[in-house]
Amino acid sequence: MDYERLLCSTGPYQGEILRASDLKHPHKIAWIQCVGSRQVIEGGNSYCSAVCCTYTQKQAILTKDHDAGAECVIFHNDIRSYGKDFERFYERTEKLPGVRFIRSYTSIVKENPETKNVTIRYSTPDDGVKEEEFDMVVLSVGLNPPADVLDLAKKFGIKLNPHDFCNLNPVNPMETNRPGIFVSGGFQGPIDIPESVFSASGASSQIGELLDYRRGILSKERIYPPERDVSKEDPRIGVFVCHCGANIGRIVNVPETVEYCKSLPNVVYAQEQLFSCATNSAKEITDMIKEKGLNRVIVAACSPRTLEPLFRDTVREAGINQYYFEMANIREHNSWVHSKEKEEASEKAHDIIRMSVARACHLEPLQEFDLPVNKAALVVGGGIAGMTSALSIANQGHEVHLLEKDTELGGIARRIHDTLEGLDVQAYLRDLIRKVYQHPLIHVYHDTTITGATGYVGNFVTKVKSDRGVTEIKHGASVIAIGVDVYKPAEYLYGEDDRVLTHLELEEQITKGNEKVINAESLVMIQCVGCRNEERNYCSRLCCSESVKNALKLKKINPKMNIYILFRDIRTYGFKEDYYREAADKDVKFIRYEPEDPPEVKAVKDGGKSILKVSLPDYILGQKLEIDADIISLAAAVVPSSATKEVAGLFKVTLSPDGFFKEAHVKLRPVEFATDGVYLCGLAHYPKFMQETINQAYGAAGRALTLLSHDIVIASGSVCGVDENRCVSCGACITVCTYGAIEFYDTPQGRKARVNPVLCKGDGLCNTVCPTAAISLKHFTDEEILSQIDAAVPEEEIIQKIEAAA
């Protein structure tokens, strides 16, 4: 965390990486992983802190951004890049020039009193014990429970687990032992930001179940001042230039930029602000609009993606139409990408703001739409995620239509018998299914095929064919929870030899008491089958713990069985690390392999007995190992459901590069799609454990309830419109519109295109393909865009360049 602060533009050295001892730039930096984590020693924690590996990779990337010539060395045990897109992030870091990953335990030997450099001792399979000197060493310190956790637990009467985090209910990880008291975020255990966010949303949904009868009673409608008609006035533009702490101010000369803004046509006021998004700054903008008679406002700051709604609201507070607001992005588009070119960055800030001023002069007032909200919800997928989400929504008084493609509910959980922690999954599943069927507001559809999905936020229509016949379902929100499939291996003799199983098949055979399995003398488990490769460049997250679980079950039944787990990295993150250690203590042998030299499996005859021979190199012993196996279990990858692409097309949502559903924002909106009114949860989002699935299912329900609990939803005024006099009825616009917002209708002049503003999302595709320019996108008109282009390079500058070239 100290190094994180050094990297920050608001840190002690304004984002420069300096050693506190002598204020020198370190050019050779080491990171030591698992400090205080995965340690069964006094003062250490036996669990894995879950986030450190990826945080370190992020810091190495940022270090290289600061100093391209920096040498970064990461000393690690296992690399636990198990989250969504984390494997790609790991590969990106590993391929950077000057970055080394070294798998080794380390010790810090000494500090050089003259240079203040630090010497680290480590070992490698090839070179043995080595010593290397570094300018700086960063310790990846593990996560602890809150310092006052014992006092907190006593005050609230909640139980803690052996690690002093909250003791979780395995089937509801937001629930404590005290009814009405819920837990989310890091107090559940070491978790990353997305999991923290959807557990918080999930906790709020469960609170909503308890307090639904109070919903809306205490809320007050916000009243804005009457909107001033400024459409006939000459533009009076105010520009507010944000320092964004030091994110912008450290690179861009903000005071000089403010003075430049004052010289621009139609700008009557300009000032700088430390943080434009702060409450006091927003009030300052509102006050200046009133005091100076401003009728256009530009905030030169960060990306509009997150804060544009806040600034639009600020403009409304001053009685100005919110579409008179314009945002100039001088952070992501400028200071963050030109940190080493301060003078040029200031010039570019001038250019960006000048373009925004030109556009602001042509802005027009627009009105948004109030749309009624259908109070029912549609949940697609009847696994644990779908059922949990459906129950939470129904428990808050909303009708739910639950669609399941199979003849029975349960999804992939029907193949899982217990968790690593010992939960009886089938008993839990039966209870969950019973609650769903008994709930009067949940309508279950089996053998379902979705034949059509239309509509818009608050008013969707989904057509389905199921055991109920053909049905047209009207609903206000949709939750996508269609689950996943399991990779069918084409390697290691799977499908050719019945002694080669997947890990789920192994679990089923253990549960059935198959004597060939439980009485085997030797069993080999091979990890990462079908993933962490070119075709599927992601970690399936669940497999390491599933293999450890099966190994422990077999050791309990048959302690003499020789069990080998062949792995690349063991990713038993969080509290699951304790079970990994338990397996090692029970003589389960863990042998690492590299992807370029994977295990080989052959069926051979030995003394008349057919055995499976597994061979692989052992990097510790420095020789080839051969293992005779009675049974082989393959940790087959979790892959997107075969229905994913079809469902994505129906509900107009996007997919990640790996084929899972892509959330609107990985950290800020992890249970929402970019398509309004459509939410996601469960394994369809990315592989995750049952507790994480339940967290996210409640989180999706919580976000859906923020829509369904309102009578109306507001739609953007930035939509397309058609000039019928120019329309030639070619249909190009209808073809490219993915939202079905355009259709033909008959007029006295013939067939013409018409845009349904309620369905239109303002993406502008129709605008670009129209051959006669009959369609325009409000708030992004040709006049507005062309004025920016003209302002980007002034005419006199173009003339000078032409003359110079001549």
Side-chain angles (χ1 to χ4, degrees):
M1 297 305 292
D2 295 334
Y3 192 76
E4 188 84 15
R5 192 73 190 129
L6 284 180
L7 290 167
C8 184
S9 60
T10 57
Y13 310 119
Q14 290 76 51
E16 285 195 75
I17 304 171
L18 302 176
R19 294 197 305 196
S21 58
D22 54 15
L23 299 183
K24 287 185 177 178
H25 285 279
H27 297 292
K28 189 175 181 181
I29 304 173
W31 281 261
I32 300 177
Q33 299 301 99
C34 303
V35 177
S37 299
R38 305 183 68 184
Q39 295 180 335
V40 191
I41 58 173
E42 188 175 347
N45 297 315
S46 65
Y47 55 82
C48 165
S49 289
V51 300
C52 317
C53 287
T54 305
Y55 280 16
T56 292
Q57 292 160 31
K58 178 195 74 174
Q59 290 183 350
I61 289 172
L62 292 175
T63 300
K64 296 292 286 185
D65 286 343
H66 280 71
D67 178 5
E71 188 175 348
C72 303
V73 181
I74 298 169
F75 294 100
H76 65 93
N77 186 353
D78 298 288
I79 290 293
R80 292 187 166 170
S81 299
Y82 57 85
K84 192 172 188 178
D85 295 326
F86 284 11
E87 188 71 17
R88 280 189 170 83
F89 201 71
Y90 169 36
E91 283 195 0
R92 173 186 167 192
T93 311
E94 193 177 31
K95 289 176 181 177
L96 286 173
V99 174
R100 288 182 285 153
F101 283 82
I102 298 176
R103 190 186 297 265
S104 175
Y105 291 108
T106 62
S107 59
I108 295 179
V109 179
K110 61 187 176 184
E111 179 191 59
N112 186 316
E114 295 180 3
T115 65
K116 302 296 183 183
N117 291 348
V118 176
T119 298
I120 290 179
R121 180 181 294 145
Y122 62 96
S123 66
T124 66
D126 297 330
D127 302 324
V129 177
K130 298 178 68 174
E131 290 189 358
E132 193 169 347
E133 191 172 275
F134 294 89
D135 301 336
M136 180 181 282
V137 177
V138 182
L139 305 180
S140 293
V141 178
L143 302 179
N144 289 328
D148 60 347
V149 66
L150 297 178
D151 184 49
L152 183 77
K154 186 177 179 181
K155 282 180 181 176
F156 286 93
I158 57 176
K159 294 180 180 178
L160 303 177
N161 69 12
H163 299 295
D164 285 340
F165 289 89
C166 187
N167 190 50
L168 304 181
N169 179 346
V171 299
N172 188 344
M174 290 144 289
E175 191 177 71
T176 68
N177 58 291
R178 288 284 307 279
I181 298 180
F182 300 90
V183 60
S184 66
F187 193 35
Q188 289 185 333
I191 57 176
D192 204 0
I193 294 171
E195 287 83 0
S196 295
V197 172
F198 57 64
S199 69
S201 193
S204 72
S205 185
Q206 295 191 62
I207 292 168
E209 293 181 30
L210 297 177
L211 300 181
D212 181 60
Y213 71 101
R214 301 281 289 177
R215 195 184 299 275
I217 295 175
L218 301 177
S219 62
K220 295 179 181 178
E221 185 181 358
R222 187 174 184 182
I223 306 297
Y224 290 94
E227 194 172 289
R228 202 169 97 232
D229 182 6
V230 300
S231 58
K232 302 293 191 294
E233 298 177 7
D234 291 333
R236 292 180 58 81
I237 301 172
V239 182
F240 298 83
V241 184
C242 179
H243 284 262
C244 195
N247 280 292
I248 295 171
R250 184 172 61 90
I251 309 300
V252 174
N253 187 335
V254 172
E256 189 268 337
T257 300
V258 169
E259 291 305 310
Y260 173 78
C261 292
K262 293 176 181 177
S263 70
L264 294 172
N266 299 304
V267 174
V268 298
Y269 182 75
Q271 74 165 78
E272 59 187 279
Q273 294 179 314
L274 183 60
F275 288 102
S276 294
C277 56
T279 303
N280 62 310
S281 297
K283 186 177 185 305
E284 193 172 45
I285 293 172
T286 302
D287 292 343
M288 286 300 109
I289 293 172
K290 296 175 181 177
E291 183 181 324
K292 304 294 183 181
L294 306 178
N295 55 27
R296 310 282 194 284
V297 172
I298 296 170
V299 173
C302 56
S303 163
R305 183 175 184 184
T306 302
L307 291 175
E308 186 176 57
L310 169 69
F311 292 122
R312 283 186 173 182
D313 191 70
T314 300
V315 169
R316 287 187 72 187
E317 287 283 1
I320 301 295
N321 186 283
Q322 61 180 308
Y323 288 92
Y324 282 127
F325 170 75
E326 166 72 2
M327 201 159 182
N329 185 353
I330 61 171
R331 190 180 73 176
E332 284 87 342
H333 288 178
N334 189 22
S335 64
W336 277 5
V337 290
H338 301 296
S339 59
K340 295 180 175 62
E341 305 155 311
K342 295 185 179 182
E343 190 174 331
E344 291 85 352
S346 295
E347 288 296 322
K348 185 175 178 180
H350 296 177
D351 295 340
I352 292 171
I353 294 171
R354 184 175 66 250
M355 293 165 69
S356 289
V357 168
R359 169 176 152 82
C361 292
H362 300 283
L363 294 177
E364 298 174 349
L366 301 175
Q367 298 304 317
E368 297 186 324
F369 302 89
D370 287 351
L371 307 175
V373 175
N374 184 305
K375 299 291 187 173
L378 179 82
V379 177
V380 184
I384 285 178
M387 289 190 288
T388 301
S389 192
L391 279 167
S392 187
I393 295 170
N395 285 340
Q396 296 176 65
H398 295 270
E399 197 171 9
V400 179
H401 301 272
L402 179 61
L403 311 184
E404 170 53 45
K405 65 179 180 180
D406 292 333
T407 56
E408 55 183 318
L409 298 175
I412 200 168
R414 294 200 302 267
R415 301 183 63 187
I416 301 170
H417 297 274
D418 46 33
T419 65
L420 186 55
E421 295 78 12
L423 173 72
D424 185 337
V425 175
Q426 294 307 304
Y428 162 68
L429 196 60
R430 287 192 295 272
D431 185 57
L432 188 65
I433 292 171
R434 176 186 57 80
K435 289 178 181 177
V436 167
Y437 281 130
Q438 290 181 353
H439 203 293
L441 292 179
I442 298 179
H443 311 288
V444 181
Y445 302 74
H446 302 93
D447 285 328
T448 304
T449 301
I450 301 175
T451 58
T454 58
Y456 47 89
V457 57
N459 291 271
F460 295 105
V461 178
T462 302
K463 295 178 181 178
V464 301
K465 187 167 65 174
S466 69
D467 58 346
R468 293 170 173 253
V470 177
T471 313
E472 187 175 88
I473 302 170
K474 296 181 179 179
H475 53 101
S478 307
V479 178
I480 309 299
I482 64 171
V484 291
D485 293 333
V486 177
Y487 169 66
K488 186 176 180 180
E491 52 266 74
Y492 301 123
L493 302 183
Y494 182 82
E496 301 174 31
D497 194 309
D498 61 9
R499 293 169 295 178
V500 182
L501 314 170
T502 66
H503 50 356
L504 283 182
E505 291 168 348
L506 176 64
E507 180 173 353
E508 289 171 349
Q509 295 307 312
I510 295 170
T511 304
K512 291 176 181 177
N514 185 322
E515 293 192 3
K516 285 184 179 179
V517 171
I518 62 177
N519 294 329
E521 291 182 17
S522 176
L523 185 143
V524 173
M525 301 180 183
I526 303 176
Q527 301 303 108
C528 300
V529 177
C531 63
R532 298 187 69 188
N533 56 26
E534 288 186 11
E535 187 178 355
R536 296 179 195 85
N537 193 14
Y538 60 88
C539 167
S540 289
R541 191 174 182 141
L542 311 168
C543 315
C544 288
S545 296
E546 173 73 10
S547 293
V548 167
K549 177 187 76 176
N550 286 337
L552 287 172
K553 288 167 73 175
L554 287 167
K555 277 290 186 180
K556 186 175 181 180
I557 297 168
N558 182 0
K560 294 182 179 180
M561 185 185 297
N562 291 312
I563 300 176
Y564 304 86
I565 297 182
L566 314 184
F567 70 97
R568 289 175 58 185
D569 294 282
I570 290 293
R571 292 181 170 176
T572 46
Y573 60 92
F575 301 138
K576 291 177 174 57
E577 178 70 14
D578 292 335
Y579 297 96
Y580 172 29
R581 186 175 294 103
E582 181 186 348
D585 289 344
K586 291 186 175 178
D587 203 29
V588 174
K589 298 173 181 65
F590 293 85
I591 303 172
R592 182 170 59 87
Y593 74 90
E594 295 293 345
E596 58 269 14
D597 198 357
E600 294 180 3
V601 176
K602 294 180 180 178
V604 299
K605 294 283 187 180
D606 187 0
K609 180 183 177 184
S610 176
I611 60 171
L612 295 167
K613 194 172 287 290
V614 183
S615 58
L616 76 160
D618 187 304
Y619 297 99
I620 305 301
L621 299 177
Q623 61 187 40
K624 196 101 170 178
L625 292 182
E626 284 194 350
I627 305 168
D628 292 345
D630 298 316
I631 299 292
I632 292 178
S633 170
L634 307 180
V638 177
V639 299
S641 166
S642 58
T644 300
K645 288 185 179 179
E646 182 185 357
V647 171
L650 286 165
F651 289 91
K652 313 296 189 296
V653 297
T654 54
L655 302 177
S656 73
D658 298 316
F660 295 98
F661 287 114
K662 184 176 177 61
E663 61 279 83
H665 190 287
V666 65
K667 289 180 170 62
L668 301 179
R669 299 172 63 193
V671 297
E672 300 171 59
F673 285 107
T675 302
D676 295 334
V678 187
Y679 308 89
L680 78 158
C681 59
L683 279 72
H685 166 248
Y686 190 71
K688 54 181 66 70
F689 288 98
M690 199 171 81
Q691 283 193 352
E692 296 164 335
T693 292
I694 294 168
N695 262 340
Q696 195 179 22
Y698 275 111
R703 296 305 300 154
L705 261 298
T706 60
L707 167 63
L708 297 177
S709 61
H710 290 90
D711 293 327
I712 61 168
V713 64
I714 297 172
S716 171
S718 179
V719 295
C720 290
V722 179
D723 181 348
E724 292 181 4
N725 294 325
R726 290 187 171 189
C727 178
V728 295
S729 308
C730 67
C733 55
I734 296 174
T735 303
V736 298
C737 182
T738 57
Y739 300 99
I742 310 174
E743 58 186 5
F744 284 130
Y745 77 108
D746 292 325
T747 73
Q749 290 78 36
R751 195 172 63 158
K752 301 291 182 180
R754 174 193 285 170
V755 176
N756 182 341
V758 173
L759 295 178
C760 179
K761 295 297 178 186
D763 61 13
L765 282 176
C766 57
N767 191 10
T768 62
V769 300
C770 181
T772 61
I775 297 185
S776 62
L777 174 58
K778 297 175 184 177
H779 203 57
F780 296 95
T781 63
D782 289 354
E783 189 178 28
E784 291 166 4
I785 300 299
L786 291 172
S787 69
Q788 285 186 286
I789 294 171
D790 290 340
V793 184
E795 187 176 355
E796 58 269 20
E797 189 175 325
I798 296 173
I799 293 170
Q800 288 173 5
K801 288 182 178 179
I802 293 173
E803 290 175 348

